[in-house]
Amino acid sequence: MSEALVEFLQHLVNGLSVGTIYALIALGYTMVYGVLKLINFAHGDVYMVGAYAGFYLADLLLPGGTVQGDGVAGAMVRALLVTMGAMVLCGLLGYLIERLAYRPLRSQARLTSLITAIGVSFLLEYGFQLQPWGFMPIEFPPGPTPRFFPELLPRVALPLGDVNVSNYDVIGLGVAVALMLGLQWIVYRTRFGTAMRAVSFDPQVAGLMGIPVNRIISWTFVLGSALAAAAAILNAVPRPQINPLFGLMPGLKAFVAAVLGGIGSVPGAMVGGLVLGLAEEFVAGYTASSFKDAIAFTILILVLLFKPEGLFGRVTVEKV
Amino acid sequence: MARLRSLARSFLPFLVAVPFLLALQAATPPYRTLVLINVGVNVILAVSLNVVNGFTGQFSLGHAGFMSVGAYATAKVTLALADVQLSFLPVAASDALLFGLALLFGMLAAAAAGLLVGLPSLRLRGDYLAIVTLGFGEIIRSVIENTPALGGALGLTDLPLHTTLAWVGLGAVATVVMARRLATSTQGRALFAIREDEVAAEAMGVDTTGYKVRAFVISAAYAGLAGGLIVHLIGSVSPSNFNFVRSMEVVVMVVLGGLGSITGSVVAATVLTISLEALREFQQYRMVVYALMLVVMMLARPQGLFGTREVWDLWRRRKPAAAPPGPAAPGGGAA
């Protein structure tokens, strides 16, 4: 293979790997925005909490932080348990945030919810940066120093010529695609999904039709938060450094991905996430990597200027 | 005559403030001076952000970006003028004049950045605007970090230490006077109309985009002033001084004080700065407390401490017929 092609393929692999993470987080934004018309600013921090939940769970399941004994099957089971556990914990967190912070404000102006969301986001970020209290059985809060996520599975490089591809990339992509297909099935093929779409269309009328609006909104938060936790684990295994602020940027970028795809649209979030991941990787790879963080926002501004409804979104009309 | 009176109204606050500030500067011990300077800078920031977030109802999260533009522009000018002295003036007066010019330049640069951010914002509302302004702050930071002339990620050092209590106080007075005069002017009414209902304001013939951009420009200029003042207090400037957290601190002040109340912004900025200074040992809890206050405030009193009321409403002679009838108070606006 020529060098240019190898470089291109490497960027493609890296971009896809980051893009699926963005896509999974973006799904949470898009679902919550769909039913509540609220940018859940705290979503990126739920993602961060997901990584820490996985970190603590892995600590319980594999003391020492590395894979030992039980062979590959045992490691797989533990990885699955850690991921599922983190998803459950984050789902619970998502439920609590919605119940305590957003539900009481649902009748208020949207700005109020937005400010509250920022407050919740800061509460998680800075709460996790506090020194451990000491009375907890685990070292919680984790404090500002970065922690290293344990290796849930041994890393295996796949023989693909000069392109670096590991089993992490393949598993990450596989799990992400499976979760997205699962979500697509829930939203378009189940009663809950139908109710969710009805609430997103018009919460008042949906309520009149006998749909338990509050419960649907709660479950939407739970689902979105669980996806964020899955994204966090998929991201933390190949890139193990985690700290309380590391959800901020992926959170914002995933929002950009959701807007790019058309906020409120599930396939849009997936495509937006992948496009953003690839764009970032290619621009950073072929030009100055220090501009990486600015790319997402440049894309956001361009999308909002020229196609505010996004790639898959519906055009909405402002009414008085 | 009316013109003369309006002129007097704009200059009178400064005529009163200057001797007072100079006396204050001479009388306060150095540590207190530092705290007061911080208070003043935060007052400038909070009141100027209130023009966009409170008066106009456009939620901006990019104040730190404007601060950094003003800070860098001011720093570049003072560094360039470090050896210049106007020979016809005494040294102190010459320095003060040049610093004033540098600050003015910083304000202009920040205003230009505000225009840049404000222009795309004319198609955006609410949440989108919040994210875009945040994004602009990040883009500004990225650009500065990648500009060798601005020192890259390291920033600029060895800036002359020109900032004194009098300068900051003057800046704070100027900001408050600007906000007050804006609020009572036709322009201010237009901004309030946009806050109350943008579509209706547009339908009534208010040039909503024009006014929104103007609010952005004014607010950015004063943020730039605060940026210029801060960096000439600490003597260095780097992109990390002005991150998202800095913007958020200002947002918390504006929200706590009351979106739309100048008094609220001043009081919140003062109280928060001084109390956080007093609670220095609990620094690591600082942002947690900020965040909790924000959430609890929104749940308990979404309109902030003062709502849209002002301290000078207390002794206004005529009945405030034009005052907004409890705009941010659908959920109980009574004190």
Side-chain angles (χ1 to χ4, degrees):
Chain A
M1 272 194 279
S2 72
E3 219 165 278
L5 184 64
V6 169
E7 197 188 346
F8 177 82
L9 287 176
Q10 189 64 59
H11 287 317
L12 192 71
V13 170
N14 296 351
L16 278 178
S17 150
V18 179
T20 45
I21 307 289
Y22 289 154
L24 278 179
I25 313 175
L27 285 172
Y29 271 115
T30 242
M31 289 197 300
V32 167
Y33 194 88
V35 296
L36 274 189
K37 301 283 170 288
L38 161 75
I39 296 178
N40 182 13
F41 244 105
H43 195 63
D45 301 297
V46 172
Y47 162 85
M48 177 273 292
V49 174
Y52 273 99
F55 171 80
Y56 287 121
L57 284 173
D59 213 32
L60 287 177
L61 289 173
L62 359 139
T66 47
V67 191
Q68 342 140 307
D70 293 351
V72 179
M76 290 285 250
V77 170
R78 275 185 303 226
L80 199 65
L81 280 178
V82 166
T83 312
M84 299 291 263
M87 286 172 78
V88 170
L89 284 176
C90 272
L92 201 65
L93 178 70
Y95 172 78
L96 284 177
I97 292 176
E98 194 276 331
R99 187 69 192 81
L100 299 177
Y102 299 153
R103 191 180 295 178
L105 292 174
R106 221 175 278 157
S107 56
Q108 299 274 1
R110 273 171 59 193
L111 196 57
T112 321
S113 306
L114 183 69
I115 297 171
T116 315
I118 294 171
V120 172
S121 154
F122 267 59
L123 200 58
L124 289 175
E125 275 166 24
Y126 289 92
F128 268 63
Q129 280 187 49
L130 298 177
Q131 294 303 326
W133 288 319
F135 59 81
M136 305 276 278
I138 49 174
E139 265 198 2
F140 184 85
T145 39
R147 301 295 185 105
F148 285 90
F149 201 80
E151 201 174 53
L152 293 175
L153 293 172
R155 187 188 194 107
V156 182
L158 299 183
L160 272 179
D162 299 325
V163 186
N164 282 320
V165 184
S166 72
N167 57 335
Y168 288 172
D169 296 315
V170 176
I171 294 174
L173 194 63
V175 174
V177 169
L179 284 172
M180 290 175 198
L181 291 178
L183 183 72
Q184 186 78 0
W185 179 76
I186 290 178
V187 173
Y188 291 100
R189 291 281 180 273
T190 61
R191 280 174 69 87
F192 168 72
T194 314
M196 205 173 115
R197 282 179 290 139
V199 172
S200 143
F201 193 73
D202 190 331
Q204 254 183 326
V205 175
L208 292 176
M209 292 295 162
I211 291 172
V213 176
N214 278 334
R215 205 188 308 155
I216 297 295
I217 291 177
S218 287
W219 274 104
T220 306
F221 267 86
V222 170
L223 216 57
S225 304
L227 286 176
I233 306 278
L234 289 182
N235 184 46
V237 171
R239 289 169 279 268
Q241 202 178 22
I242 58 176
N243 70 65
L245 286 176
F246 90 128
L248 185 65
M249 264 301 143
L252 292 173
K253 287 178 185 170
F255 172 75
V256 175
V259 173
L260 175 63
I263 199 150
S265 146
V266 172
M270 300 183 205
V271 173
L274 289 178
V275 169
L276 182 63
L278 288 171
E280 233 177 34
E281 182 64 33
F282 278 110
V283 176
Y286 286 112
T287 62
S289 63
S290 43
F291 276 111
K292 199 172 159 193
D293 281 348
I295 291 165
F297 295 112
T298 314
I299 291 182
L300 175 71
I301 290 162
L302 292 179
V303 170
L304 289 177
L305 280 181
F306 296 110
K307 197 165 166 48
E309 72 277 7
L311 298 173
F312 292 76
R314 283 191 307 254
V315 183
T316 50
V317 181
E318 191 87 14
K319 282 180 282 193
V320 186
Chain B
M1 190 60 208
R3 201 173 172 75
L4 204 68
R5 199 184 302 152
S6 115
L7 215 66
R9 244 194 240 149
S10 37
F11 284 106
L12 204 61
F14 295 99
L15 292 181
V16 179
V18 169
F20 173 74
L21 286 168
L22 288 173
L24 195 67
Q25 181 173 308
T28 33
Y31 171 70
R32 290 252 168 98
T33 311
L34 215 58
V35 176
L36 282 179
I37 285 179
N38 277 326
V39 169
V41 168
N42 283 335
V43 166
I44 299 178
L45 287 169
V47 172
S48 62
L49 187 64
N50 206 348
V51 170
V52 171
N53 287 15
F55 289 7
T56 326
Q58 307 293 308
F59 202 72
S60 160
L61 288 175
H63 225 44
F66 301 132
M67 277 173 82
S68 65
V69 172
Y72 271 96
T74 314
K76 271 313 224 187
V77 174
T78 47
L79 281 179
L81 295 180
D83 301 323
V84 180
Q85 205 220 315
L86 302 173
S87 52
F88 54 89
L89 282 173
V91 179
S94 154
D95 274 358
L97 187 69
L98 291 178
F99 184 47
L101 282 178
L103 284 175
L104 209 60
F105 182 74
M107 286 178 78
L108 283 177
L115 186 67
L116 211 67
V117 180
L119 281 175
S121 84
L122 37 96
R123 291 182 60 164
L124 304 174
R125 297 193 174 153
D127 318 357
Y128 284 104
L129 182 67
I131 301 267
V132 164
T133 48
L134 199 167
F136 261 111
E138 289 296 312
I139 291 174
I140 289 174
R141 200 168 56 91
S142 260
V143 168
I144 290 175
E145 270 176 15
N146 287 293
T147 310
L150 298 176
L154 295 174
L156 305 170
T157 48
D158 296 327
L159 306 180
L161 302 175
H162 284 316
T163 303
T164 59
L165 185 55
W167 273 111
V168 175
L170 210 59
V173 171
T175 316
V176 172
V177 169
M178 173 277 292
R180 162 131 168 74
R181 288 178 61 82
L182 181 66
T184 50
S185 69
T186 324
Q187 314 250 341
R189 295 286 162 213
L191 298 184
F192 295 153
I194 294 172
R195 172 183 71 194
E196 297 310 325
D197 193 326
E198 197 172 330
V199 181
E202 178 97 57
M204 296 303 288
V206 176
D207 171 20
T208 51
T209 53
Y211 278 109
K212 281 198 283 185
V213 172
R214 266 176 256 181
F216 253 107
V217 169
I218 293 171
S219 164
Y222 284 86
L225 172 67
L229 287 168
I230 286 180
V231 295
H232 289 88
L233 177 71
I234 51 182
S236 66
V237 50
S238 79
S240 57
N241 292 9
F242 307 104
N243 52 13
F244 178 49
V245 175
R246 198 81 184 84
S247 296
M248 278 309 305
E249 287 180 359
V250 188
V251 168
V252 171
M253 289 169 192
V254 173
V255 170
L256 281 185
L259 283 161
S261 166
I262 303 164
T263 317
S265 290
V266 173
V267 170
T270 311
V271 170
L272 279 182
T273 315
I274 291 179
S275 54
L276 288 174
E277 198 59 42
L279 296 172
R280 238 179 204 296
E281 306 107 88
F282 304 104
Q283 275 290 349
Q284 61 157 333
Y285 282 91
R286 187 173 95 142
M287 289 313 289
V288 178
V289 172
Y290 260 39
L292 264 180
M293 275 199 299
L294 207 56
V295 175
V296 171
M297 196 70 182
M298 280 300 112
L299 291 172
R301 196 176 160 79
Q303 72 273 36
L305 285 178
F306 287 79
T308 54
R309 273 181 295 273
E310 302 287 0
V311 68
W312 44 80
D313 291 344
L314 289 177
W315 55 83
R316 195 181 282 177
R317 261 165 289 151
R318 272 169 300 160
K319 222 175 145 201

